[in-house]
């Protein structure tokens, strides 16, 4: 299954067109053309049996309720682009790609649920996104493809960038926080210290239950609630009730009508 992180793809394409066209209408038309071209290239490259484009439909989800600052500083989507999403979804539909969105769940969790549910049944999925948060899902049946960088965000990439294995990423971000999402993590624990702690203990739970030791470990234990909240915020949910079945997402490689 090819799973498109639709807003990640669309917003990056739109940003490029904003720099190339002065008129809003021209920007949107060019974004649609670029989206159709990108989707066509991805379909040709990976030749999926199933495909879906996952959109954000929930402006406020459980993470916002847990942590009001969650994504509070994110640049909002341009209003003209938000109003044009229906046309973009229709353009993808014409290529045989259905849209999936929820009124109550974030797109990232929908993506995670699709990929993990498929993996449980031995199916393979490729997530198309530049969002490294999806790297926590990496495994024998789940891959992440960066369309813009034309590269895999794979275990080797995670090792090179973080010095960790994919299953450790959630605890890593629980310690460091994720500034772009307004997630604080543990005060005083940056990437190097988080990496060292995870190399020593393996995971956050072991860190919190071990006998007091280094200054950094003591800091994590003193800020246990911060770390656990951050982990809850960064960990993708993979058991959402989607309301669709695999057959509905089969790629038929033909033009569809409305």
């Amino acid at each position: 299954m090819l799973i498109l992180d639709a807003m990640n793809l669309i917003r990056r394409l739109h940003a490029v067109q904003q720099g190339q066209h002065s008129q809003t209408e021209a920007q949107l038309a060019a974004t649609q053309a670029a989206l159709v071209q990108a989707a066509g290239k991805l379909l040709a490259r990976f030749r999926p049996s199933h495909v879906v484009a996952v959109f954000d439909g929930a402006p406020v989800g459980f993470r916002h309720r847990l942590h009001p600052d969650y994504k509070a500083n994110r640049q909002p989507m341009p209003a003209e682009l938000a109003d044009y999403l229906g046309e973009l979804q229709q353009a993808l539909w014409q290529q045989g790609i259905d849209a999936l969105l929820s009124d109550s769940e974030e797109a990232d969790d929908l993506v995670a649920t699709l990929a993990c549910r498929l993996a449980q049944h031995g199916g393979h999925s490729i997530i198309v996104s530049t969002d490294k948060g999806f790297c926590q899902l990496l495994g024998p049946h789940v891959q992440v493809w960066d369309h813009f960088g034309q590269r895999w965000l794979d275990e080797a990439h995670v090792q090179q960038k973080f010095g960790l294995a994919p299953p450790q990423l959630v605890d890593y971000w629980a310690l460091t926080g994720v500034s772009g999402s307004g997630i604080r993590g543990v005060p005083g624990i940056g990437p190097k210290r988080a990496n060292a702690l995870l190399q020593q203990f393996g995971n956050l739970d072991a860190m919190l239950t071990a006998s007091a030791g280094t200054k950094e470990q003591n800091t994590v234990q003193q800020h246990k609630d911060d770390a656990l909240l951050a982990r809850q915020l960064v960990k993708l949910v993979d058991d959402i009730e989607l309301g669709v079945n695999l057959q509905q997402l089969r790629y038929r490689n033909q033009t569809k009508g409305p």
Side-chain angles (χ1 to χ4, degrees), residues 1-4 9 35-53 91-98 126 128 145 147 249-256:
M1 177 183 289
L2 188 64
I3 306 174
L4 307 182
L9 186 61
L35 177 63
V36 168
Q37 182 182 48
K41 288 182 177 179
L42 289 163
L43 290 168
R45 181 185 186 106
F46 296 116
R47 302 177 64 84
S49 61
H50 298 74
V51 60
V52 64
L92 291 173
W93 175 261
Q94 293 293 334
Q95 290 178 280
I97 304 174
D98 265 330
I126 296 173
V128 179
W145 174 253
H147 171 71
L249 304 179
R250 178 170 290 280
Y251 177 52
R252 294 177 177 83
N253 194 22
Q254 62 184 20
T255 301
K256 297 183 177 183

Side-chain angles (χ1 to χ4, degrees), residues 144-155:
V144 181
W145 174 253
D146 175 356
H147 171 71
F148 297 97
Q150 290 290 292
R151 61 175 179 167
W152 293 106
L153 303 184
D154 53 14
E155 292 187 31

Side-chain angles (χ1 to χ4, degrees), residues 88-110:
L88 296 178
Q89 290 173 0
Q90 181 64 22
L92 291 173
W93 175 261
Q94 293 293 334
Q95 290 178 280
I97 304 174
D98 265 330
L100 178 66
L101 63 160
S102 167
D103 291 334
S104 57
E105 309 292 348
E106 288 188 64
D108 291 359
D109 297 323
L110 299 179

Side-chain angles (χ1 to χ4, degrees), residues 88-233:
L88 296 178
Q89 290 173 0
Q90 181 64 22
L92 291 173
W93 175 261
Q94 293 293 334
Q95 290 178 280
I97 304 174
D98 265 330
L100 178 66
L101 63 160
S102 167
D103 291 334
S104 57
E105 309 292 348
E106 288 188 64
D108 291 359
D109 297 323
L110 299 179
V111 170
T113 296
L114 278 168
C116 293
R117 192 160 295 170
L118 196 60
Q120 289 169 2
H121 294 88
H124 183 79
S125 60
I126 296 173
I127 300 167
V128 179
S129 182
T130 62
D131 186 348
K132 293 178 178 60
F134 289 121
C135 290
Q136 65 184 266
L137 304 174
L138 288 172
H141 298 288
V142 181
Q143 293 176 283
V144 181
W145 174 253
D146 175 356
H147 171 71
F148 297 97
Q150 290 290 292
R151 61 175 179 167
W152 293 106
L153 303 184
D154 53 14
E155 292 187 31
H157 169 80
V158 172
Q159 180 63 40
Q160 180 182 21
K161 184 172 180 62
F162 300 101
L164 300 168
Q168 294 177 296
L169 287 174
V170 169
D171 287 349
Y172 172 83
W173 289 317
L175 294 170
T176 66
V178 182
S179 59
S181 296
I183 300 171
R184 290 190 291 268
V186 177
I189 302 296
K192 289 184 178 179
R193 289 179 175 176
N195 182 282
L197 285 165
L198 287 168
Q199 294 291 352
Q200 179 181 355
F201 293 99
N203 58 60
L204 177 60
D205 291 330
M207 219 175 293
L208 293 173
T209 56
S211 300
T214 65
K215 175 184 176 182
E216 289 79 9
Q217 183 194 348
N218 291 340
T219 298
V220 173
Q221 292 182 344
Q222 290 166 7
H223 293 273
K224 174 181 177 179
D225 291 343
D226 294 322
L228 293 178
L229 173 61
R231 182 165 70 177
Q232 191 173 2
L233 295 172

